[in-house]
Amino acid sequence: TILTQEQGDTIKIGRRGSIGGDLIIKGIQGHVAYPHQSLNPIHESLGALKDLVDMNWDNGTDDFGPTTFQISNINSGTGARNVIPGIKTTMFNFRYSPASTEESLRSRMEKILEKHSLNYEIDWHDASLPYETDRTSHLVEQALASVLEVTGAEGTLCTSGGTSDGRFLAAAGCSQVIELGPSSKTIHKVDEHVSIEDLQVLVDIYNNLLERLLLTSGED
């Protein structure tokens, strides 16, 4: 299976898994002049958030980089300068390698929060599993050959980046899934675009690759 996900000069042979959620820290709202009568969830959670950011979750694998944890949004407060908030919500995401599992990441995160004696809830979001196509597979070898023949450059295999629809195909039983598309230099930027020249090169690569696959389909 070949996906036209934005890649540039690389061929994706897999993707990291993704799991995220909303971490809700509960405190006690009150006046800033009387902090002893309140419990500030912002202050209380700083240590735990630092531990989560600094944690070495795993060392990755030969083809996957280490698992990463990122905070993407923090929301708290009433909008008033003199009110200690009663709740703090932190949006977070793991991009994880096959060296970790969804269950292990959940467990380790919860242990860190419990170590800091926080009153918390986590609203976990749907996860996507990591997947990988064997770099010695027929599809990968032919894709590399097509890129070299059309562009004159050696293709690069990698598993970096975000999630893609490849995860659904892999979960459905497709054993060979690659992603080969146009440049990703402007992905998710305000001026996101693809050049017409890149698209023409891509068409030539696809034609070359399809010819190779059809001509070699009966060799195995």
Side-chain angles (χ1 to χ4, degrees), residues 133-142 176 178:
T133 297
D134 189 337
R135 61 176 54 236
T136 63
S137 67
H138 182 64
L139 177 59
V140 172
E141 290 179 344
Q142 296 304 317
Q176 298 184 45
I178 65 170

Side-chain angles (χ1 to χ4, degrees), residues 149-185:
E149 182 174 336
V150 173
T151 69
E154 296 280 353
T156 302
L157 304 179
C158 73
T159 59
S160 63
T163 59
S164 77
D165 289 343
R167 68 188 189 273
F168 301 118
L169 297 168
C174 294
S175 61
Q176 298 184 45
V177 179
I178 65 170
E179 300 170 32
L180 177 59
S183 172
S184 59
K185 293 180 180 179

Side-chain angles (χ1 to χ4, degrees), residues 56-105:
N56 177 28
W57 298 96
D58 60 47
N59 295 317
T61 68
D62 289 342
D63 289 323
F64 285 81
T67 292
T68 61
F69 172 88
Q70 288 292 312
I71 294 172
S72 57
N73 191 285
I74 295 178
N75 185 44
S76 188
T78 65
R81 296 181 186 276
N82 63 344
V83 177
I84 293 173
I87 197 168
K88 171 186 174 182
T89 301
T90 302
M91 298 172 63
F92 65 90
N93 180 266
F94 287 99
R95 293 301 167 103
Y96 67 99
S97 79
S100 292
T101 64
E102 175 187 347
E103 292 75 17
S104 69
L105 295 174

